[in-house]
Amino acid sequence: MLIRAAAVGTDTYELNRNLLLTGKGKILFDFDLAVTPDGFLLSVGPGLAPALIQQLDGFLFAEDVQLEDLTEEAAPLPLVGPGAADLLGRLGFEPPA
C-alpha cells in the first residue's frame, strides 16, 4: 500500500514524502518521490534502495516499468537557508518558486 502518491500535478523535481505500508499499516519504507521529465525519482536513506526496489518489484506484473538503483550516480543535496536560492542561481540552476 502506498500512502500519498501525490506526484501527479507537482512541479518537476519537487520532492514529496511518501510511505510504503503493509496491508496492516506497518511502515516498510518512507521515501521522497519526485516527478522527472523521464518518469519518477525515489529517494530513500543510505543502503535502502535495493530493498525498496525489491518491494516495489513485487507490485509489477505486466507493467512496462524499470526500477533502477542510482545510488552510485546521484545523491540528494539539501540546500536550505536564506542564501540557498542565490547559490542555486550561481550554479546555473533555476531556484524553485
Side-chain angles (χ1 to χ4, degrees):
M1 177 185 312
L2 183 63
I3 298 295
R4 185 166 183 236
V8 176
T10 62
D11 292 330
T12 303
Y13 295 110
E14 179 182 340
L15 294 175
N16 289 290
R17 176 71 73 189
N18 290 266
L19 300 173
L20 182 63
L21 307 176
T22 66
K24 294 184 177 185
K26 178 182 174 188
I27 298 173
L28 296 174
F29 293 93
D30 69 331
F31 58 93
D32 292 318
L33 183 140
V35 177
T36 71
D38 299 322
F40 299 94
L41 179 67
L42 283 69
S43 179
V44 292
L48 297 176
L52 177 58
I53 288 172
Q54 183 178 9
Q55 283 289 325
L56 293 175
D57 192 52
F59 293 104
L60 303 177
F61 300 101
E63 294 84 355
D64 184 18
V65 174
Q66 296 177 359
L67 301 173
E68 187 176 359
D69 184 353
L70 300 176
T71 301
E72 299 299 321
E73 299 171 31
L77 176 63
L79 294 176
V80 296
D86 182 55
L87 178 58
L88 280 174
R90 290 195 323 252
L91 292 172
F93 297 98
E94 184 176 331

